[in-house]
Amino acid sequence: MAFITANWNPLGDTFYRSAELYEMFWSLRDGLGDSLVAAAPYGGPIALLREPLRRSPSTRPQLEIYSASGASIASFPWKSGPVVHLGWSVNDELLCVQEDGTVLIYDLFGSFKRHFSMGQEVVQSQVLEAKVFHSPYGTGVAIVTGSSRFTLATNIEDLKLRRLPEVPGLQGQPSCWAVLTQDRQTKVLVSSGPELYVLDNTSCTAVYPPGLSPQAGSIVHMSVSFSYKYLALFTETGRLWTGLSNLQERLSEMDTKQAATPKQMVWCRRPRSQQPSVVLMWDRLLLVVGSCNDTIQFPLEDQSVLVGELDGVRIIGSISQELLQEVPLVCQDIFKIASMAPGALLLEAHREYEKSSQKADEYLREIKEQNVLGDAVRQCVEAAAHEYDPDTQKALMRAASFGKCFLTEFSPDQFVTTCRELRVLNAVRESSVGMPLTHTQFKQMTLQVLIDRLVYRQFYPLAIEVCRYLKIPDYQGVSRVLKHWASCKVQQKDLTDEAIARAVCAKVGDSPGVSYSDVAAKAYECGRPELAIKLLDFEARSGEQVPLLLKMKRSQLALSKAVESGDTDLVYTVVTYLKNEMNRGDFFMTLRNQPVALSLYRQFCKLQEPQTLKDLFNQDDDHQELGNFYVTSSYRDKRLEGRLAQLQSAVDEYNKAKNDFAAKATEEEMRLLRFQRKLDDEKGAGLLGLSLQATMEALMSLGLHKQAEQLYRDFRVPDKRYWWLKLTSLAEKEQWEELEKFSKSKKSPIGYLAFVEVCMKNNNRHEAKKYVSKVTPEQKVKAHLAVGDLEGAADAAIERRNESEMGAVLSRCSASDRLLMDKLNRARVATAKK
Amino acid sequence: MAHSARRDSPELPDLSLLKRLVRDQLIYLLEQLPGKKDLFIDSDLMSPLDRIANVSTLKQHEVDKLYKVEHKPIVSISDQICFLIRPRIQTVKWICDVVNADKAAGKFRRYKIIFTPQKFYACEAVLEEQGVFGDVTTDEWAFYLLPLDEDIISLELPEFFRDNFLAGDQRWVRTAGSALHLLHSLFGPFSKVYGIGRCSKMTYESWREQVEQGEQKARHAEIGNVFLIDRDVDFVTPLCSQVVYEGLVDDIFRIKCGCVEFGPEVTSSDKSIKVMLNSQDKVFNEIRNEHFSNVFGFLSQKARNLQTAYDKRRGMDIQQMKTFVSEELKGLKQEHRLLSLHISASESIMKKKTKQDFQELLKTEHCLLEGFEIRECISFIEEHINRQVSMIESLRLLCLLSVTENGLLPKDFKSLKAQYLQSYGADHLLTFSNLRQLGLLVEQQPGETLTVMESKVGKLVNDRTAVKLTDAFSSLAKKSHFRALSKKLNLVPKSDEEYDLRVPRDMAYIFSGAYIPLSCKIIEQVLERDSWTGLEEVTRLINGHEFAVTGADPKSKSDAQRIILVMFLGGCTFSEISALRFLGKERGYKFIVVTTAITNSSRLLEALLDNNV
């Protein structure tokens, strides 16, 4: 503990410390010299390409990928063209920029993903230098070509190449350049001889760093800070200028007294930095230059690489890796020698308490007197977060916990969260995992991204543990990890389909948010259709299975799944697909087994493709429906011949369907149509299309009784119907004589009461009365009443000795019919007696 | 009737919320197409739309002119056209013609199609086939439910019946599921869901799926129980003549979207009047559920009361008169107007319905329901056909005969059909084919239809699918077991007792005491038992698919538990609604009826005609 400040170096009024992160796992024979090295920020992986420019095909350079702790992840010989630059994207993908402008993208495990080109003209002119940069829009690539032109791609996910304007007077490679992101625009800052230019989309502007001594000479090295806010320039005379990257303000300028151009120059800052600095590296020397012009010098034993981070600089050597950073203010407060900050006192109090010394109380008292115990606890917690060494973290957290005991109203949230986060951080910092994240970086990159990165590196169990430990909702946490895991699992070639399916099902179970169809799609992509089908079986929502099944050409299965889902739109989608994919016969056969799909398709065909409908019925030998189909289409046909032909087909089909009734009915309809046509031609009767009844009516009203009678006989119209028809027709036309003749032609099948009623309806009481006598005895009273003959009705009723009928007559009597009423009443009494 | 009602019946939830929701959504959709635009509306969406947003609301949102969607060139000169349609292939084709005609004429416009309540892939496929997919934008207006009254909600989808039950096209099932989901999210969670029928089952499943996908919010339930029922469970009830006032008005004047148009014979002037028929109309509210024979009594009593209210004026001083005029007179006048309207409507009904033939018609119906004097009934129907009384009525009687008698004897079947064809034309062959498929008009062929179908199907596929297939064709092979059901459930009260229609003792009053509607009886029985236990025989006869699922645990014996949502898939009649209202009063329930459309015998049969394709 006492030595915690041992590695602190003062710089101006603050301190810098360098802490060892790892003893590197790797054993590099030739160190880092003569290699292209790319190390991603946020504790990202390291890529190494030895002798990138060696062109002899016999010995290919080796591309190696390591975790930040130097553990090998992948290694393979480089078979493509000479590489100019390596870089990492935000998604942990390795970008390899080739001399011919092709950018190859590999994943973390060295498998090729895709490639793109930085433009056709580059093939000719070759890439001289390239840079991979990160901006709010994603990962970008900038190159400068042999013809001294810059080309930019701001986001490799959405590739849009931009060729920047020419730089005046620039020949060959510029002495140094950097990419800037300012005002939502990406620019290039380039030094050409004594001049400095800013290149944007349209223009090339010469700029002058404010306050840079004219005698400083031309700029030979430049560096932009992590946040793109600050700029450092190194001139040929060894002067270092720092300022804002918009070149509006100078921060400092000093003479480094180094004649050589540094190999690397990186900003070292942290959020709320007291004393930002620039780290310059030469072969044997590391120089930290603060803005107060103070410096710290470190000797360097071997070739190293600097990686700029959000809150410091990582120095990767072939033996070990260190983190150089400004000591956070809160840590300074606590650990600075003789500090009286509340946190420092609390830490001291706790230390005494552990020793069971009463001094603990004195320290506590002192803090409490100043009423800063809360601050003390907060300081300890905060400082713990910034410490890298678990023992120091523990000491600080214990002190905080101890202090917390004396506070009543103090939210434990910060304490608990920090504890949890530290545990997670310590776990991922483990050299086996190799993600040396600081707490500040962790907060910046968020937990979601951390989990993603763990997943990219296939640390699935750890990722799941982290999710569970931090209680992330399953949907965003465990399920997401499982999804990645399952997608990765299905690619394992050494396992059988069965084993993989079982393993996936066992782990994933029914976790919410993991879609089996997505996993199956992945399996299918990897050329394992059988596995895909097995996995799809686990998918609970049948609708989700359909698109993949279609893609896999399992159309039958897709159709039955679609039907199962109950979503008709989905069924229809599959049906349309099948229609285009299959030949007709197979298509209809498939539909035949799926009545739901079939009815849906039929509905569609009815409106869109009636002919298809016919084929459909034909295929099924559904003669009944075919018959119906022909009948329907007969109504669409305007010409009689066409109609008859259609109806004839209908008759044939009905016969095949053994539907005699329909066949006969259709035949009769045809006969009727021909008859109507004939009469229409002869007499212009306008009968075509009428029903049999309507035809007869029309004929009668035209006075064509003979023809009506012919129909009556030909179509075996029931007598009753014919009589009713003729009766009403004659009565309506007031052909009373005809009617009388008709009534006498034979015994009426509808009785004679109908005659009475119809006559009355046509207001002819006289004619009506003629038929009263013919009415059957049961209906006599009714008939008399119908013609309004009360007396006749009374007589009939009395004759029949029917009490209810007498009542009926009585109810119709009015006061003037006194006599009649008496008579009826008497008869009633008489009937009642008997 | 009022005296037998339980006093503690629960309050109904406020259904007007549904209207407000869809209105806002429609406005939002209209605003998506800024600037002046012409609106083309599907003709059968006009009345429902009018219930949601009137013309002035539409004008406020820059709708310039309103047209009906028709198959003819359009006259609009606007450069923005919005179509508001049901997702039907036919209509979409018309729109394609419009767009293509404009294209040919080199006219440029913006087109937007709003499908309601949802769009179907098939419609988009048509747009694509006709080459206009890129020229139009499409949207959905989730107008699932139209509250017609405080206890009636309609999906206004009359085609549901034909599509689902006749064509076997299940496209609307999801719509029904979504409608139920909407109700669930507004008034749920439901604690128990009962259902019977294949379509009900599917609707239930579709709803469940949507519930599982969406987020669940714990809220206070306003509707406790749900009952889903397929129309094909009970065809008898909608085939009967309605004799309750509201049903009669619907049968005679056709209530459209909660609104009826009384023609000159009622208004006794040369104009016709449109009247909203709902519980807001105080006069109507009192007589709507009454048997028609009581209506006149009620109306004259009402008239007397009104007179008394008017008479209060006498002997008032100036001050009292002032209050009377400002507060009561308007209400009284309104009531007066409605009263006279309903009186003349009743008169007009009387003229039509108390005639000899109507009495005989009713008698025949009752005989059929009782299974009594069937021969006479058949001759009555024969005469009915022969004399061409009415095409639909004859068909209705034929179907009622077939459904109650479990099919016609082959001889009758042939001769009645032949006579019908002679009367109304051979094109009704197709109608008969449809009726046969639905099981509405079949030949007695004990057991044969089903087995033929099954053996045919069985040969084709394995067992698992065979079951499904038989399900799908079940309607085709459906046999009615009305007689057995009637006996089991006591649907036909004993005719020897006198039935006092003034003081109804059961739901049979809606059919003059002759028949308790099967659908309502099933609902009553299930609610009484709180399950299907004991009704196994009944469900077997109906052809099953019954279910009862317990959902959210009711927190207490709250009022919501006594509010029951009954969803009729394929339509329901006003008589059934009246019967349920009666049941509710008896048992202290309140029913909310959700239906795909209000139906009656004419609408039901018209949907099955096939002569005007």
Side-chain angles (χ1 to χ4, degrees):
Chain A
M1 279 290 144
F3 309 116
I4 218 157
T5 52
N7 58 357
W8 288 20
N9 295 289
L11 185 77
D13 49 5
T14 182
F15 293 90
Y16 270 67
R17 67 179 173 192
S18 89
E20 187 179 279
L21 297 174
Y22 298 115
E23 292 268 356
M24 299 303 274
F25 270 123
W26 62 27
S27 52
L28 302 173
R29 253 181 305 128
D30 314 314
L32 288 165
D34 207 12
S35 312
L36 268 184
V37 183
Y42 291 103
I46 305 166
L48 211 64
L49 184 65
R50 306 200 158 274
E51 301 175 46
L53 294 173
R54 189 162 56 186
R55 278 158 210 261
S56 88
S58 55
T59 50
R60 295 208 154 106
Q62 193 75 9
L63 181 68
E64 292 162 357
I65 299 174
Y66 296 97
S67 76
S69 57
S72 175
I73 298 176
S75 168
F76 57 97
W78 183 254
K79 289 177 186 157
S80 309
V83 175
V84 181
H85 185 79
L86 291 179
W88 291 95
S89 79
V90 281
N91 298 328
D92 275 355
E93 294 162 325
L94 180 62
L95 310 182
C96 307
V97 187
Q98 291 196 139
E99 219 172 45
D100 60 358
T102 315
V103 181
L104 303 155
I105 304 181
Y106 289 82
D107 76 1
L108 204 58
F109 296 93
S111 37
F112 177 72
K113 288 180 87 170
R114 62 192 176 94
H115 73 90
F116 62 89
S117 165
M118 291 299 288
Q120 268 310 302
E121 69 278 9
V122 189
V123 182
Q124 282 292 311
S125 53
Q126 304 271 296
V127 179
L128 292 181
E129 225 185 322
K131 283 185 184 358
V132 172
F133 59 94
H134 304 282
S135 70
Y137 311 110
T139 304
V141 177
I143 56 164
V144 56
T145 65
S147 53
S148 307
R149 293 292 294 266
F150 287 88
T151 303
L152 276 183
T154 14
N155 182 6
I156 55 164
E157 299 299 329
D158 174 24
L159 197 68
K160 281 193 194 95
L161 294 179
R162 282 181 9 224
R163 198 150 181 239
L164 300 185
E166 217 167 328
V167 180
L170 179 62
Q171 296 275 307
Q173 196 169 355
S175 55
C176 64
W177 57 284
V179 181
L180 285 174
T181 305
Q182 275 174 355
D183 311 328
R184 296 155 70 194
Q185 227 192 6
T186 308
K187 301 173 183 174
V188 170
L189 186 65
V190 55
S191 149
S192 161
E195 305 290 339
L196 191 62
Y197 297 99
V198 170
L199 282 174
D200 59 19
N201 283 352
T202 50
S203 60
C204 174
T205 326
V207 285
Y208 305 96
L212 181 64
S213 337
Q215 66 271 37
S218 57
I219 296 157
V220 291
H221 207 307
M222 59 175 76
S223 162
V224 185
S225 72
F226 204 76
S227 60
Y228 291 103
K229 212 171 154 194
Y230 301 96
L231 178 69
L233 303 170
F234 189 87
T235 69
E236 57 188 353
T237 54
R239 294 193 74 83
L240 178 72
W241 178 95
T242 58
L244 297 185
S245 62
N246 57 12
L247 295 164
Q248 300 292 321
E249 195 184 319
R250 185 187 79 162
L251 291 176
S252 72
E253 188 184 333
M254 77 163 286
D255 188 359
T256 58
K257 304 198 175 63
Q258 299 285 333
T261 308
K263 279 179 64 188
Q264 235 185 318
M265 181 167 83
V266 175
W267 275 92
C268 181
R269 305 175 38 87
R270 60 176 308 116
R272 270 166 292 148
S273 209
Q274 300 291 304
Q275 185 65 254
S277 64
V278 179
V279 182
L280 298 97
M281 183 180 76
W282 288 269
D283 272 341
R284 295 270 164 220
L285 175 73
L286 194 71
L287 187 68
V288 183
V289 184
S291 40
C292 56
N293 292 353
D294 207 354
T295 60
I296 312 168
Q297 293 196 12
F298 295 99
L300 274 184
E301 270 113 47
D302 62 353
Q303 299 269 10
S304 296
V305 174
L306 303 182
V307 186
E309 294 277 3
L310 174 70
D311 57 347
V313 174
R314 270 192 297 146
I315 305 158
I316 302 170
S318 54
I319 310 296
S320 66
Q321 180 175 175
E322 284 172 47
L323 174 70
L324 175 73
Q325 62 168 182
E326 185 186 326
V327 180
L329 200 57
V330 56
C331 298
Q332 289 188 32
D333 280 346
I334 291 183
F335 293 115
K336 212 156 58 180
I337 292 158
S339 168
M340 292 298 280
L345 294 175
L346 180 60
L347 186 64
E348 204 52 40
H350 180 249
R351 215 173 272 159
E352 295 301 333
Y353 168 76
E354 297 250 281
K355 283 191 264 174
S356 314
S357 154
Q358 83 283 8
K359 277 194 189 156
D361 183 50
E362 285 170 30
Y363 282 117
L364 260 182
R365 238 174 247 283
E366 199 175 327
I367 306 171
K368 277 175 132 176
E369 270 163 25
Q370 297 175 51
N371 216 359
V372 288
L373 187 53
D375 291 339
V377 174
R378 263 188 291 276
Q379 275 188 343
C380 285
V381 173
E382 216 175 297
H386 289 302
E387 286 303 319
Y388 209 82
D389 172 37
D391 289 330
T392 318
Q393 293 166 2
K394 276 185 209 163
L396 285 163
M397 290 312 268
R398 287 213 178 98
S401 163
F402 173 68
K404 223 152 56 71
C405 299
F406 301 94
L407 287 166
T408 46
E409 284 181 11
F410 187 80
S411 159
D413 285 354
Q414 191 200 10
F415 181 82
V416 174
T417 326
T418 310
C419 268
R420 290 219 174 106
E421 287 171 351
L422 277 175
R423 282 197 68 179
V424 170
L425 282 176
N426 288 339
V428 301
R429 284 168 188 166
E430 270 298 309
S431 53
S432 56
V433 180
M435 293 175 71
L437 281 177
T438 64
H439 189 258
T440 318
Q441 290 167 17
F442 168 70
K443 281 303 202 195
Q444 178 71 26
M445 84 189 249
T446 72
L447 181 60
Q448 292 297 332
V449 179
L450 175 62
I451 292 168
D452 278 348
R453 298 228 162 157
L454 287 173
V455 165
Y456 290 148
R457 281 168 219 200
Q458 301 187 356
F459 289 116
Y460 300 114
L462 180 63
I464 289 181
E465 282 310 313
V466 169
C467 293
R468 293 212 173 118
Y469 181 66
L470 294 181
K471 298 199 173 68
I472 303 173
D474 269 359
Y475 203 80
Q476 303 161 16
V478 176
S479 295
R480 209 153 53 103
V481 179
L482 282 174
K483 198 164 105 187
H484 278 280
W485 169 80
S487 309
C488 169
K489 188 79 185 172
V490 295
Q491 298 175 46
Q492 284 187 358
K493 297 214 165 55
D494 48 339
L495 289 175
T496 63
D497 291 346
E498 189 56 43
I500 292 179
R502 240 185 297 124
V504 169
C505 176
K507 280 248 165 40
V508 177
D510 46 6
S511 316
V514 186
S515 147
Y516 278 101
S517 42
D518 288 352
V519 180
K522 189 83 196 171
Y524 178 66
E525 249 170 55
C526 307
R528 303 183 77 159
E530 288 309 315
L531 175 60
I533 296 219
K534 281 202 171 71
L535 288 169
L536 271 185
D537 271 349
F538 295 120
E539 176 68 62
R541 293 159 297 167
S542 24
E544 294 287 306
Q545 311 172 345
V546 175
L548 182 62
L549 284 172
L550 277 187
K551 212 157 120 195
M552 290 165 58
K553 308 225 179 297
R554 302 291 173 115
S555 28
Q556 307 260 357
L557 197 54
L559 187 58
S560 49
K561 293 286 182 191
V563 169
E564 233 173 78
S565 78
D567 181 346
T568 45
D569 268 5
L570 203 58
V571 179
Y572 195 77
T573 317
V574 182
V575 169
T576 327
Y577 180 87
L578 293 183
K579 190 174 137 196
N580 298 332
E581 283 297 295
M582 295 175 136
N583 67 46
R584 272 225 155 164
D586 291 349
F587 175 54
F588 289 165
M589 207 54 200
T590 310
L591 285 184
R592 197 163 149 177
N593 295 337
Q594 293 289 354
V596 176
L598 183 61
S599 5
L600 207 63
Y601 187 60
R602 274 189 191 171
Q603 288 279 82
F604 179 74
C605 287
K606 243 180 214 167
L607 292 161
Q608 283 288 75
E609 304 169 10
Q611 279 310 309
T612 315
L613 196 62
K614 194 174 94 187
D615 298 348
L616 205 57
F617 294 140
N618 247 327
Q619 168 99 4
D620 273 0
D621 292 332
D622 191 341
H623 300 295
Q624 173 67 33
E625 283 293 343
L626 269 174
N628 291 348
F629 173 79
Y630 283 121
V631 172
T632 312
S633 33
S634 82
Y635 286 99
R636 290 209 196 95
D637 215 321
K638 292 276 178 291
R639 297 167 309 115
L640 181 67
E641 291 70 30
R643 252 174 108 166
L644 288 171
Q646 298 271 19
L647 287 174
Q648 184 55 51
S649 314
V651 172
D652 295 346
E653 294 300 337
Y654 283 137
N655 276 330
K656 280 187 207 156
K658 302 211 166 46
N659 188 341
D660 301 336
F661 176 80
K664 207 170 131 252
T666 317
E667 268 169 6
E668 287 192 351
E669 168 73 3
M670 288 167 66
R671 234 166 1 116
L672 182 64
L673 281 173
R674 289 205 186 95
F675 178 88
Q676 290 169 337
R677 174 59 168 275
K678 200 175 112 224
L679 272 184
D680 282 0
D681 288 350
E682 285 170 9
K683 321 250 171 188
L687 300 172
L688 201 66
L690 294 179
S691 74
L692 180 60
Q693 172 110 1
T695 312
M696 291 199 293
E697 257 172 43
L699 287 173
M700 285 182 189
S701 72
L702 288 170
L704 300 168
H705 288 280
K706 214 187 233 164
Q707 281 83 349
E709 210 170 324
Q710 188 192 339
L711 282 181
Y712 155 64
R713 256 191 267 57
D714 283 3
F715 288 89
R716 272 173 288 123
V717 175
D719 286 350
K720 282 186 185 175
R721 172 191 296 271
Y722 185 66
W723 276 71
W724 269 113
L725 198 60
K726 190 141 185 179
L727 165 62
T728 32
S729 164
L730 288 175
E732 264 165 27
K733 293 186 76 188
E734 306 192 338
Q735 297 175 336
W736 307 114
E737 273 170 46
E738 279 290 318
L739 185 62
E740 200 171 344
K741 229 189 273 167
F742 176 58
S743 77
K744 286 172 184 158
S745 61
K746 69 176 198 186
K747 191 172 178 289
S748 162
I750 50 173
Y752 291 93
L753 181 59
F755 279 77
V756 177
E757 281 172 353
V758 170
C759 288
M760 285 307 293
K761 210 177 185 179
N762 288 288
N763 305 318
N764 194 330
R765 189 185 300 249
H766 175 71
E767 285 297 322
K769 277 184 178 164
K770 283 188 186 166
Y771 301 103
V772 172
S773 57
K774 289 187 157 187
V775 169
T776 55
E778 292 82 36
Q779 292 177 323
K780 271 262 158 60
V781 180
K782 253 189 189 170
H784 280 292
L785 285 178
V787 296
D789 175 9
L790 286 178
E791 280 183 42
D795 290 345
I798 294 166
E799 195 176 313
R800 281 172 43 77
R801 294 180 183 159
N802 185 317
E803 228 184 310
S804 68
E805 278 175 5
M806 292 179 207
V809 181
L810 266 174
S811 67
R812 291 277 295 271
C813 290
S814 61
S816 58
D817 305 319
R818 206 53 289 149
L819 283 171
L820 200 59
M821 282 169 82
D822 289 347
K823 191 172 162 193
L824 275 166
N825 282 328
R826 273 200 304 280
R828 237 173 140 183
V829 175
T831 329
K833 266 182 197 160
K834 281 175 195 171
Chain B
M1 204 167 9
H3 58 267
S4 65
R6 284 175 48 162
R7 297 199 178 275
D8 60 340
S9 38
E11 282 291 302
L12 287 167
D14 177 21
L15 298 180
S16 63
L17 175 65
L18 291 166
K19 277 194 196 176
R20 292 201 297 275
L21 276 175
V22 286
R23 182 185 304 128
D24 292 352
Q25 210 190 347
L26 177 65
I27 289 171
Y28 173 78
L29 286 173
L30 289 176
E31 295 285 309
Q32 297 293 94
L33 196 66
K36 283 226 180 296
K37 58 223 153 219
D38 282 355
L39 187 60
F40 283 71
I41 308 169
D42 236 345
S43 52
D44 51 357
L45 271 173
M46 291 217 166
S47 312
L49 178 67
D50 200 39
R51 294 290 106 83
I52 298 301
N54 51 23
V55 176
S56 63
T57 317
L58 294 176
K59 297 255 157 165
Q60 265 171 33
H61 298 280
E62 296 185 274
V63 170
D64 197 18
K65 291 198 184 76
L66 286 166
Y67 298 94
K68 206 195 283 182
V69 184
E70 281 168 314
H71 190 216
K72 60 174 198 193
I74 58 169
V75 287
S76 162
I77 47 158
S78 174
D79 57 355
Q80 295 201 101
I81 297 184
C82 191
F83 298 93
L84 183 60
I85 57 166
R86 291 274 183 221
R88 295 186 191 119
I89 292 173
Q90 190 64 63
T91 327
V92 174
K93 268 173 83 179
W94 293 349
I95 294 175
C96 291
D97 289 349
V98 168
V99 177
N100 280 327
D102 280 355
K103 262 193 204 170
K107 203 183 276 177
F108 176 78
R109 311 193 212 232
R110 290 177 65 181
Y111 311 92
K112 184 190 185 80
I113 304 180
I114 302 175
F115 292 102
T116 185
Q118 66 188 122
K119 65 179 154 202
F120 287 135
Y121 177 79
C123 295
E124 287 184 309
V126 172
L127 287 177
E128 219 174 307
E129 256 173 42
Q130 306 283 325
V132 299
F133 189 72
D135 302 305
V136 298
T137 50
T138 56
D139 231 317
E140 286 180 332
W141 180 32
F143 176 30
Y144 287 101
L145 298 164
L146 174 69
L148 294 179
D149 205 341
E150 57 184 15
D151 60 350
I152 311 175
I153 308 174
S154 168
L155 271 73
E156 292 295 312
L157 284 174
E159 64 244 65
F160 188 103
F161 175 67
R162 187 183 162 112
D163 282 350
N164 195 72
F165 294 104
L166 181 67
D169 175 352
Q170 300 167 353
R171 73 178 73 193
W172 299 112
V173 170
R174 218 178 156 73
T175 314
S178 305
L180 191 58
H181 182 54
L182 179 61
L183 289 169
H184 177 255
S185 54
L186 292 176
F187 305 114
F190 307 144
S191 40
K192 195 122 193 201
V193 182
Y194 313 94
I196 183 155
R198 188 178 135 79
C199 182
S200 294
K201 185 101 205 227
M202 291 175 63
T203 303
Y204 167 77
E205 272 156 14
S206 166
W207 165 62
R208 257 334 305 167
E209 204 171 280
Q210 294 180 50
V211 170
E212 273 156 29
Q213 275 165 16
E215 53 184 322
Q216 321 239 358
K217 270 181 281 178
R219 46 195 306 292
H220 184 67
E222 289 180 83
I223 295 175
N225 298 311
V226 175
F227 201 108
L228 301 169
I229 184 165
D230 281 17
R231 184 68 274 173
D232 67 354
V233 164
D234 173 17
F235 276 136
V236 176
T237 310
L239 285 175
C240 294
S241 298
Q242 305 193 72
V243 282
V244 166
Y245 186 68
E246 192 168 9
L248 253 180
V249 171
D250 188 34
D251 271 1
I252 293 176
F253 303 102
R254 293 225 167 186
I255 301 176
K256 201 169 146 200
C257 219
C259 179
V260 74
E261 191 169 347
F262 285 131
E265 79 274 16
V266 174
T267 56
S268 53
S269 65
D270 50 354
K271 268 187 285 178
S272 39
I273 300 182
K274 277 192 175 179
V275 187
M276 294 287 294
L277 292 182
N278 55 33
S279 50
Q280 307 287 312
D281 178 342
K282 289 208 188 81
V283 180
F284 177 68
N285 198 31
E286 277 182 60
I287 54 173
R288 66 197 304 190
N289 300 320
E290 288 298 324
H291 188 272
F292 188 65
S293 59
N294 298 343
V295 169
F296 260 119
F298 265 90
L299 289 178
S300 54
Q301 181 60 41
K302 192 85 201 164
R304 273 197 294 280
N305 293 349
L306 210 58
Q307 193 55 51
T308 328
Y310 274 120
D311 287 348
K312 276 203 313 199
R313 282 176 303 178
R314 282 183 208 142
M316 277 184 184
D317 58 28
I318 296 286
Q319 196 53 45
Q320 284 169 325
M321 188 66 96
K322 213 169 156 190
T323 359
F324 175 79
V325 170
S326 65
E327 285 168 13
E328 285 177 61
L329 195 60
K330 202 174 160 220
L332 287 176
K333 279 214 164 133
Q334 169 79 357
E335 221 165 300
H336 185 115
R337 196 181 67 82
L338 291 169
L339 190 61
S340 60
L341 209 54
H342 285 295
I343 288 176
S344 28
S346 306
E347 272 169 1
S348 164
I349 294 173
M350 287 284 265
K351 255 183 233 157
K352 288 198 175 105
K353 291 291 175 180
T354 46
K355 275 198 199 143
Q356 190 81 17
D357 344 351
F358 186 63
Q359 293 302 334
E360 274 173 34
L361 187 77
L362 281 184
K363 203 180 128 222
T364 308
E365 275 179 31
H366 293 173
C367 285
L368 287 174
L369 291 167
E370 279 176 61
F372 188 64
E373 295 183 334
I374 296 303
R375 270 289 124 206
E376 279 78 354
C377 294
I378 293 179
S379 355
F380 178 84
I381 296 172
E382 215 169 354
E383 195 180 319
H384 204 269
I385 296 172
N386 280 340
R387 297 183 60 184
Q388 283 189 300
V389 178
S390 142
M391 177 179 91
I392 291 289
E393 287 271 272
S394 299
L395 209 52
R396 177 171 76 82
L397 289 170
L398 277 176
C399 292
L400 195 60
L401 171 69
S402 166
V403 174
T404 51
E405 284 294 295
N406 191 12
L408 276 63
L409 292 172
K411 186 175 72 74
D412 296 332
F413 186 65
K414 286 218 174 88
S415 95
L416 286 172
K417 276 200 327 190
Q419 297 192 38
Y420 190 86
L421 292 183
Q422 289 186 351
S423 274
Y424 300 108
D427 41 352
H428 284 287
L429 256 185
L430 302 175
T431 312
F432 285 136
S433 159
N434 289 343
L435 291 173
R436 202 181 84 85
Q437 200 176 330
L438 265 180
L440 276 174
L441 184 57
V442 295
E443 196 171 349
Q444 270 181 12
Q445 257 174 345
E448 210 187 309
T449 342
L450 187 65
T451 41
V452 166
M453 202 59 223
E454 267 172 344
S455 63
K456 198 168 159 194
V457 162
K459 260 181 270 160
L460 289 173
V461 276
N462 58 35
D463 295 345
R464 207 171 69 104
T465 14
V467 175
K468 276 193 197 148
L469 270 179
T470 346
D471 276 3
F473 285 109
S474 65
S475 60
L476 194 144
K478 192 158 211 169
K479 294 202 309 187
S480 163
H481 299 278
F482 179 73
R483 208 57 75 208
L485 282 168
S486 164
K487 213 167 181 183
K488 197 93 201 150
L489 290 169
N490 251 332
L491 297 181
V492 178
K494 288 186 189 68
S495 54
D496 42 352
E497 293 168 44
E498 197 57 39
Y499 198 100
D500 187 357
L501 292 169
R502 255 170 257 271
V503 192
R505 56 169 186 267
D506 55 24
M507 291 187 281
Y509 92 92
I510 63 159
F511 291 119
S512 319
Y515 162 64
I516 300 176
L518 172 61
S519 50
C520 303
K521 186 73 180 179
I522 292 175
I523 295 170
E524 179 208 80
Q525 288 294 310
V526 171
L527 291 178
E528 200 168 84
R529 288 156 211 262
D530 200 15
S531 76
W532 290 95
T533 335
L535 295 172
E536 291 81 4
E537 182 65 16
V538 172
T539 57
R540 198 185 57 79
L541 290 171
I542 290 174
N543 196 12
H545 293 294
E546 78 282 1
F547 59 91
V549 192
T550 311
D553 196 27
K555 286 182 191 70
S556 60
K557 225 24 190 158
S558 66
D559 273 359
Q561 293 312 306
R562 288 188 286 122
I563 300 213
I564 295 144
L565 188 83
V566 179
M567 191 170 192
F568 283 91
L569 296 158
C572 84
T573 62
F574 279 118
S575 293
E576 282 169 306
I577 299 177
S578 293
L580 287 176
R581 284 186 186 131
F582 173 81
L583 182 67
K585 274 188 194 160
E586 290 279 292
R587 305 285 162 95
Y589 297 133
K590 276 261 170 87
F591 286 97
I592 296 174
V593 174
V594 184
T595 174
T596 49
I598 295 287
T599 194
N600 59 21
S601 52
S602 316
R603 291 196 193 98
L604 188 82
L605 292 171
E606 276 160 14
L608 301 173
L609 296 184
D610 228 331
N611 53 346
N612 45 5
V613 178

